[in-house]
Amino acid sequence: MEGEEGKLEILMKWASEIGISDSPTSVSDWTNLSCCLAHSLFVSHFPHAGGRGLAAVRHLRRGELVLRVPKSALMTTESLSKDHRFSTALNAHSSLSPIQILIVGLLYEMDKGRSSWWYPYLMNLPRGYDILATFGEFEKQALQVDDAIWAAKKATLKAESEWKEANVLMKELNLKPRFLTFRAWLWASATISSRTLHVPWDEAGCLCPVGDLFNYAAPGGEELSGVEDLDCQNHASSLKIISSQNGDAARMLDSEQLDSHSQRLTDGGFEEDVSAYCFYARRHYEKGEQGSKVYQSSHNRNTSMIHGSDVLQVLLGYGTYTNLELLEHYGFLLNDNPNEKVFIPLQPEICSSNTWPMESMYIHRSGKPSFALLSTLRIWATPPNQRRSTAHLAYSGSQLSAENEIVVMRWISKNCNSILKSFPTSFEEDRLLLNAIDKMQDSCNPLELRNVSASSAVQIRAFLEANGLQDGEGVAELLSSRKTKRALDRWRLAIQWRVRTETKT
């Protein structure tokens, strides 16, 4: 089998031949058929920021075109259906959703092996993912928060149900036994969940070769604030109390975000006029920024695989997600997520005092309550006979009185403390446990339990037992297996998630 860089080189050459290009000019001007990159981007490895990703070769201006992927290169239910055998079998299964069809289509192409037109792309896909649906029972329970545990269980149940529904079609396509398993379905489902991009003609989206190498950048806190301001304006517009300036700011269509030539929003999307998925720089990238150091691979220069942790990564905004949502759909979380939220359980009498949707009532990562939660609590803390006359003030964002504000802040503080106390482990215990897991991963010798806290030792033993070992026998062999390494990675993600939640509560 080809090495990682050899497979990447094959992908880059294939991508160039089918018209994928990072050249700012037309595809016809791009003559280097050994690689589709080098004008604007190159592939690099970012061990602490998403793994393999794309970095800037030159100065990039915000809104500038940096990558173009023609429609013919996209894997969609439409392009998959050009295969007569696949489309014929599909005709008898109209009840399957577009996403199920795309998952089956991906497994069908994988089953073809080298005969698949997408083979250079398929062999570069990750061989494992850490989305919530792949979490085992031990990792699910490690999340410790009921809502998060239920989200993980629901994700697995949903994947299992969809797999069973599609199994008849997969058997009719005569897929090899390994592609009929639930494990294979989880892999394909995770690929679709974490890598598809939106296209207007297909609800399932598309797999976009090379375009899916961009790693994630969360929308900034100022964007989140603007969106919330807009929601508040819409909710209270009948009261005529929120100024139109908030709405203007929330639209986020300042001139810098637009390409001066194409007037298109940054990040990208499918463009009918050029029949291609086009990606744009979401910010300015300066050559040599952050003291960039570029290390050339020993392979052919045209692979554009350059190593070095100091190069500047070009990122893509997938949308606004909390860390739990990132885990559910993409299999990672952010250390500092500007869109992180903590939801506090609300009593029925609090909910009945307002018309805000539940998902709008939360605590920001900064500790500030959302507009909806704050206005709701201000109304609830008002005597019932005064609520009608003061509601318009609460919906405008105004304090109702000093006494009212004290009641609200005390309620928030009390309930945040209750959430923290409900965690079976403390923040400090979880921090020590993460350090112990790091040592396990580095040394493959987790039995040095005398060097970790009692709480960490108990949890490490529980992990080992959950993975079939008593008292750590054969730990080195266990940790060398791909399955257990993946379980350890997911356990670590679960602990990281609850640590982030603890720090934001």
Side-chain angles (χ1 to χ4, degrees):
M1 178 179 290
E2 301 92 344
E4 290 302 309
E5 291 191 11
K7 291 191 291 185
L8 178 64
E9 185 174 354
I10 292 171
L11 171 63
M12 294 294 112
K13 186 176 188 299
W14 171 80
S16 181
E17 290 171 348
I18 64 174
I20 298 175
S21 173
D22 71 339
S23 171
T25 55
S26 66
V27 176
S28 60
D29 294 332
W30 178 238
T31 58
N32 185 357
L33 291 181
S34 61
C35 183
C36 66
L37 303 180
H39 280 297
S40 303
L41 306 167
F42 62 83
V43 181
S44 188
H45 188 69
F46 303 89
H48 304 296
R52 181 186 284 183
L54 295 173
V57 163
R58 57 180 178 81
H59 300 312
L60 300 179
R61 182 173 56 86
R62 189 178 188 180
E64 182 180 359
L65 178 67
V66 294
L67 184 68
R68 183 191 300 104
V69 180
K71 183 178 181 180
S72 58
L74 306 178
M75 183 185 291
T76 64
T77 58
E78 178 184 280
S79 60
L80 288 166
S81 295
K82 292 178 181 178
D83 182 294
H84 178 71
R85 182 180 165 207
F86 182 77
S87 61
T88 301
L90 193 60
N91 288 335
H93 299 274
S94 58
S95 62
L96 295 180
S97 71
I99 292 176
Q100 285 174 297
I101 294 170
L102 187 56
I103 293 172
V104 173
L106 174 58
L107 290 171
Y108 178 67
E109 292 299 323
M110 289 292 294
D111 185 77
K112 290 181 180 179
R114 292 180 181 274
S115 66
S116 171
W117 185 78
W118 280 284
Y119 178 73
Y121 168 66
L122 298 175
M123 68 177 181
N124 278 274
L125 289 173
R127 288 298 174 253
Y129 297 91
D130 296 321
I131 64 171
L132 281 184
T134 66
F135 277 38
E137 187 59 28
F138 183 86
E139 297 96 70
K140 289 185 176 87
Q141 294 301 323
L143 293 165
Q144 293 189 351
V145 177
D146 288 343
D147 287 348
I149 294 171
W150 170 235
K153 290 183 174 180
K154 185 170 62 174
T156 303
L157 290 171
K158 180 175 182 290
E160 187 173 8
S161 173
E162 291 178 343
W163 167 64
K164 289 178 179 177
E165 291 171 355
N167 211 254
V168 175
L169 171 59
M170 292 191 292
K171 288 179 178 178
E172 289 177 5
L173 289 168
N174 294 318
L175 300 190
K176 297 179 182 69
R178 70 175 184 272
F179 293 117
L180 295 172
T181 64
F182 182 51
R183 180 180 177 183
W185 181 269
L186 278 178
W187 173 84
S189 177
T191 299
I192 301 306
S193 175
S194 63
R195 305 183 80 83
T196 50
L197 300 172
H198 170 74
V199 288
W201 71 86
D202 195 326
E203 182 183 332
C206 72
L207 287 173
C208 183
V210 183
D212 59 6
L213 291 176
F214 286 102
N215 284 321
Y216 176 72
E222 71 282 355
E223 295 173 359
L224 178 65
S225 176
V227 171
E228 185 182 339
D229 288 345
L230 182 59
D231 288 341
C232 297
Q233 183 184 21
N234 291 338
H235 183 83
S237 60
S238 61
L239 300 176
K240 307 296 184 184
I241 52 181
I242 295 183
S243 68
S244 61
Q245 284 83 352
N246 286 337
D248 293 337
R251 292 187 185 95
M252 299 177 288
L253 298 182
D254 60 275
S255 59
E256 271 201 316
Q257 282 183 292
L258 297 175
D259 183 299
S260 61
H261 300 293
S262 65
Q263 294 298 296
R264 297 183 178 97
L265 288 174
T266 58
D267 277 356
F270 185 80
E271 299 181 4
E272 292 286 354
D273 57 339
V274 292
S275 191
Y277 212 103
C278 297
F279 298 85
Y280 298 86
R282 72 193 319 267
R283 47 157 288 194
H284 296 303
Y285 292 93
E286 297 297 330
K287 186 177 180 181
E289 190 174 350
Q290 295 182 343
S292 299
K293 295 181 180 179
V294 177
Y295 301 92
Q296 180 59 50
S297 158
S298 59
H299 263 283
N300 186 323
R301 181 179 181 85
N302 290 327
T303 64
S304 288
M305 181 65 175
I306 303 178
H307 300 279
S309 59
D310 294 330
V311 297
L312 186 63
Q313 185 169 193
V314 179
L315 299 168
L316 178 68
Y318 308 159
T320 300
Y321 295 99
T322 65
N323 271 340
L324 186 61
E325 290 168 334
L326 287 174
L327 270 183
E328 180 178 0
H329 299 293
Y330 299 101
F332 67 87
L333 47 77
L334 301 177
N335 289 331
D336 188 20
N337 187 347
N339 306 304
E340 187 65 313
K341 306 171 184 176
V342 174
F343 292 90
I344 299 178
L346 302 176
Q347 295 92 333
E349 61 268 23
I350 294 178
C351 298
S352 63
S353 66
N354 76 95
T355 58
W356 291 106
M358 290 299 295
E359 60 269 20
S360 67
M361 293 188 281
Y362 53 85
I363 303 290
H364 285 283
R365 69 181 184 120
S366 63
K368 176 184 175 183
S370 68
F371 184 97
L373 177 60
L374 188 57
S375 63
T376 293
L377 292 175
R378 284 170 173 168
I379 294 172
W380 163 77
T382 303
N385 62 350
Q386 298 177 22
R387 289 176 182 172
R388 183 181 294 272
S389 61
T390 58
H392 69 287
L393 295 174
Y395 284 132
S396 72
S398 301
Q399 292 186 18
L400 303 187
S401 69
E403 294 78 9
N404 179 279
E405 203 71 6
I406 290 171
V407 171
V408 168
M409 293 305 159
R410 283 178 175 170
W411 185 94
I412 292 174
S413 177
K414 176 183 176 181
N415 282 271
C416 284
N417 284 327
S418 295
I419 292 174
L420 286 173
K421 290 177 180 178
S422 70
F423 281 89
T425 54
S426 68
F427 170 79
E428 183 60 24
E429 288 173 329
D430 288 341
R431 188 184 66 80
L432 292 173
L433 178 58
L434 285 174
N435 289 336
I437 292 175
D438 287 341
K439 292 178 181 178
M440 287 173 62
Q441 292 176 314
D442 291 340
S443 67
C444 291
N445 185 19
L447 295 184
E448 298 293 328
L449 300 183
R450 63 181 179 273
N451 296 326
V452 300
S453 68
S455 173
S456 296
V458 169
Q459 293 184 73
I460 289 171
R461 287 194 180 97
F463 171 80
L464 295 175
E465 291 174 5
N467 285 274
L469 284 183
Q470 296 283 340
D471 299 323
E473 295 178 1
V475 169
E477 293 78 8
L478 172 72
L479 292 180
S480 66
S481 75
R482 181 177 298 179
K483 179 180 178 182
T484 308
K485 284 181 180 178
R486 184 66 66 181
L488 188 61
D489 288 340
R490 290 169 186 152
W491 184 36
R492 193 179 196 285
L493 279 171
I495 299 166
Q496 287 177 319
W497 180 83
R498 75 195 194 209
V499 165
R500 305 287 180 271
T501 302
E502 288 164 349
T503 58
K504 299 298 182 285
T505 304

